[in-house]
Amino acid sequence: MHATKRETEILNTVRLKGSVTTMELAEMLGVTDQTIRRNVIPLVERGLVKKVHGAIVAPDRLLEAPFHRRMLENQDAKQNLATVVAATIADGDSIMLDAGSTTSYVAQALVDKKNLTVITNSAQIASTLAPNPTNKVYFAGSELRSDDSAAFDAQALKTFNQFDVQYAILSATALHAQRGIMVQKAHEAELSRMLISRASHVIVAADSTKFDRKSLISVCEFSDIQTLVSNEAPIGELAEALETNNVFVSTPNT
Amino acid sequence: MHATKRETEILNTVRLKGSVTTMELAEMLGVTDQTIRRNVIPLVERGLVKKVHGAIVAPDRLLEAPFHRRMLENQDAKQNLATVVAATIADGDSIMLDAGSTTSYVAQALVDKKNLTVITNSAQIASTLAPNPTNKVYFAGSELRSDDSAAFDAQALKTFNQFDVQYAILSATALHAQRGIMVQKAHEAELSRMLISRASHVIVAADSTKFDRKSLISVCEFSDIQTLVSNEAPIGELAEALETNNVFVSTPNT
DNA sequence: CTGCAAATCAACATAAACCAACATATCCTT
DNA sequence: AAGGATATGTTGGTTTATGTTGATTTGCAG
């Protein structure tokens, strides 16, 4: 294993876990801690990671935002279910991607697809998928909120409304047997409904911590969606509600 | 086995595995490592693979993108002039930021400002400045081009047109005594003119490599701008033209 | 504040990879 | 078949990456 490959490994690990010790990296990559320190120098120079005594950490600006904290919560679960969602999408498909920590993982899992048409209201997702020259990426919205650099204004609705796509990939704050898909803010709900109305196949991506909870606003019934992708299969009442409404449930194991 | 056949073999292996050592290839193809090194040279020249010490690796698609190459060219100069631009901007100011490698550095230099109102057509700049909760960031545009994740469509023009700001910060491809500010594409020029018309103070950020050159389209006369920020002061005819039109020239030394 | 352990850094040694130059083999043309 | 051009192998010196050792710094408990 050469230095360059180790650099990308280090970067990935730091981005995934937020921080990692020199020793952990040394063991993981089968070299001495000294070599790790040397490999980290160019990464620090490029501002991609930061060094503190005892560990390599992601730069502050990424960690401070609440959104980035959500990116770090349940990261394994989100990573896994993102892979499952990505497996559903084929080269050349057209998709709408809602803003959210889970959907950001989905976007990351889609970088190697080709010829995608992507419409999203998240600046982060847009700049993840736009650099691929085979893709066609549209940003929906104008006024960005600071939390996650995403737009939920009239312009966002208007842009989504112009398109008809194969898949809409939604995030959610809660899933509840009686109340269906739920989110925290009224304008998030409104936007989600727009995505649902413009896609022939609606995929909800939500990790199992969202199960059997309520949030503030109900976005839609389960009958309005086609697929739920999660890290675990739901059980009990929620599972029944999904089955009754013919929602296909997809998990890493199936 | 001929050299050309080995070349395709090398390319396939690199694409399949991401990276491979010279020795592995030598063994696999039954020739010495020296021959492999020679066979790799034309592949590197064509940009199909990259060499690092210890291995041949697939080129980092993102880094090879023209925009990212521009980000790396004249890094110090751009960094310096970005600091100068940032010094001009005060907390609470309203600014429009054009897409470009130089303006990306400016955005980076503005992260610690507070209460900025920012309108930009670059997704990258938007996601640099939006996470600061004291800022108000608007993204202008919908259809992103892959090169730099920026928008130059009608929607972008329309959004910029809604605002009136204190500063417009423009990038440029060339500055020429007779032809003024120049860029490479017609829609870039159109967008720049929109920014100029909506700002009370126009700042052009351009490093000294842009001086005394021509590009395809003329954006505006020097009389239309107020400030030029660069890493070096221009000389000769260009300096005269700027002075005649009362353009204030600002550099890291002044 | 002091002392200790862990982490870091600096300097050197070694091994691996690299490159340049020359020697040899192979191919192609006439 | 001869000769030139090209490709490959070989050799030796140069650079780079890694490991090792010991000195220095840092964080923390008492």
Side-chain angles (χ1 to χ4, degrees):
Chain A
M1 158 131 13
H2 47 97
T4 319
K5 191 161 181 173
R6 269 198 304 273
E7 277 182 31
T8 60
E9 279 298 316
I10 293 170
L11 197 52
N12 286 340
T13 310
V14 169
R15 286 196 171 148
L16 198 67
K17 312 221 281 185
S19 81
V20 62
T21 70
T22 314
M23 285 307 182
E24 282 170 355
L25 287 170
E27 198 169 341
M28 179 190 315
L29 301 172
V31 291
T32 60
D33 52 342
Q34 197 56 239
T35 301
I36 296 294
R37 288 198 186 90
R38 284 191 269 243
N39 291 153
V40 163
I41 293 170
L43 296 175
V44 172
E45 276 169 2
R46 287 196 281 160
L48 299 170
V49 302
K50 214 177 87 177
K51 258 188 348 163
V52 296
H53 193 87
I56 324 290
V57 299
D60 295 340
R61 59 178 192 283
L62 291 179
L63 288 172
E64 276 167 13
F67 176 71
H68 203 264
R69 277 212 302 279
R70 285 206 301 280
M71 285 294 287
L72 295 176
E73 289 165 9
N74 299 86
Q75 44 185 320
D76 288 346
K78 286 170 182 172
Q79 186 81 61
N80 283 336
L81 77 87
T83 313
V84 177
V85 174
T88 311
I89 308 297
D91 290 350
D93 281 352
S94 55
I95 60 177
M96 288 178 173
L97 269 166
D98 190 13
S101 58
T102 312
T103 46
S104 291
Y105 276 101
V106 173
Q108 195 57 51
L110 290 172
V111 287
D112 288 329
K113 300 279 177 185
K114 304 217 182 308
N115 297 106
L116 298 179
T117 300
V118 180
I119 305 111
T120 181
N121 61 325
S122 155
Q124 196 174 87
I125 292 176
S127 39
T128 302
L129 294 174
N132 180 335
T134 72
N135 290 347
K136 204 84 206 69
V137 177
Y138 297 86
F139 182 80
S142 147
E143 189 175 349
L144 304 187
R145 67 181 186 195
S146 64
D147 180 30
D148 56 358
S149 304
F152 291 87
D153 55 353
Q155 179 58 44
L157 286 171
K158 200 171 144 191
T159 305
F160 276 119
N161 197 29
Q162 287 169 4
F163 295 90
D164 280 275
V165 297
Q166 295 168 273
Y167 296 97
I169 301 167
L170 297 184
S171 52
T173 310
L175 279 84
H176 189 269
Q178 274 78 49
R179 308 287 289 132
I181 314 295
M182 304 194 78
V183 295
Q184 189 59 32
K185 301 244 170 80
H187 54 260
E188 293 175 359
E190 201 179 345
L191 196 101
S192 293
R193 287 189 206 111
M194 173 61 80
L195 265 68
I196 292 168
S197 73
R198 303 282 70 174
S200 35
H201 192 113
V202 178
I203 301 173
V204 173
D207 63 83
S208 58
T209 62
K210 316 285 172 67
F211 293 172
D212 300 310
R213 305 176 73 110
K214 280 189 187 173
S215 187
L216 195 61
I217 318 272
S218 173
V219 174
C220 65
E221 315 268 319
F222 287 130
S223 58
D224 295 321
I225 73 169
Q226 279 74 48
T227 304
L228 167 67
V229 178
S230 185
N231 55 316
E232 288 178 22
I235 51 170
E237 213 181 356
L238 180 59
E240 281 173 35
L242 290 163
E243 192 171 344
T244 309
N245 289 288
N246 294 314
V247 177
F248 177 67
V249 177
S250 187
T251 67
N253 311 316
T254 54
Chain B
M1 170 169 311
H2 288 309
T4 43
K5 182 155 187 165
R6 267 200 305 273
E7 278 183 29
T8 61
E9 276 299 313
I10 292 170
L11 198 51
N12 286 340
T13 310
V14 169
R15 286 191 173 151
L16 188 70
K17 309 214 290 179
S19 77
V20 62
T21 70
T22 315
M23 284 308 182
E24 283 169 357
L25 286 171
E27 198 169 339
M28 178 190 316
L29 302 172
V31 291
T32 60
D33 52 341
Q34 199 56 238
T35 302
I36 296 294
R37 288 202 183 87
R38 284 191 270 244
N39 291 152
V40 163
I41 294 169
L43 294 175
V44 171
E45 276 167 2
R46 286 194 282 159
L48 298 170
V49 301
K50 216 173 80 179
K51 253 186 358 159
V52 297
H53 191 92
I56 324 288
V57 299
D60 188 337
R61 268 195 297 272
L62 291 179
L63 286 176
E64 296 298 319
F67 177 71
H68 276 262
R69 272 217 306 278
R70 286 204 302 278
M71 282 296 286
L72 297 176
E73 290 167 7
N74 299 85
Q75 209 168 346
D76 290 344
K78 286 170 183 172
Q79 187 83 62
N80 283 337
L81 77 88
T83 313
V84 177
V85 174
T88 311
I89 309 296
D91 289 350
D93 282 351
S94 55
I95 60 178
M96 289 179 172
L97 270 166
D98 190 15
S101 58
T102 312
T103 46
S104 291
Y105 278 101
V106 173
Q108 195 57 52
L110 290 172
V111 287
D112 289 329
K113 301 278 178 188
K114 306 221 179 307
N115 297 106
L116 298 178
T117 300
V118 180
I119 306 111
T120 181
N121 63 323
S122 155
Q124 199 173 85
I125 291 176
S127 39
T128 301
L129 294 174
N132 181 335
T134 72
N135 290 347
K136 205 83 207 71
V137 177
Y138 297 86
F139 182 81
S142 147
E143 191 175 348
L144 304 187
R145 67 180 186 193
S146 65
D147 178 27
D148 55 0
S149 305
F152 291 87
D153 54 355
Q155 180 58 45
L157 287 170
K158 202 172 142 190
T159 303
F160 276 119
N161 197 30
Q162 288 170 4
F163 294 89
D164 280 276
V165 296
Q166 295 168 273
Y167 296 98
I169 301 166
L170 298 183
S171 52
T173 309
L175 279 84
H176 189 270
Q178 274 79 50
R179 308 287 289 133
I181 315 294
M182 304 194 79
V183 295
Q184 188 59 34
K185 301 244 171 79
H187 54 261
E188 293 175 357
E190 203 179 344
L191 196 101
S192 293
R193 286 189 207 111
M194 172 62 79
L195 266 68
I196 292 169
S197 73
R198 304 282 72 177
S200 35
H201 193 114
V202 178
I203 301 173
V204 173
D207 64 83
S208 58
T209 62
K210 316 285 172 64
F211 293 172
D212 300 310
R213 304 177 72 108
K214 280 190 186 173
S215 186
L216 195 62
I217 318 271
S218 175
V219 174
C220 65
E221 314 270 318
F222 287 130
S223 58
D224 295 321
I225 74 170
Q226 280 73 48
T227 304
L228 167 67
V229 178
S230 186
N231 54 318
E232 287 177 22
I235 51 171
E237 212 181 355
L238 180 59
E240 282 172 37
L242 289 163
E243 194 171 343
T244 309
N245 289 289
N246 294 315
V247 177
F248 178 66
V249 177
S250 186
T251 66
N253 311 317
T254 54

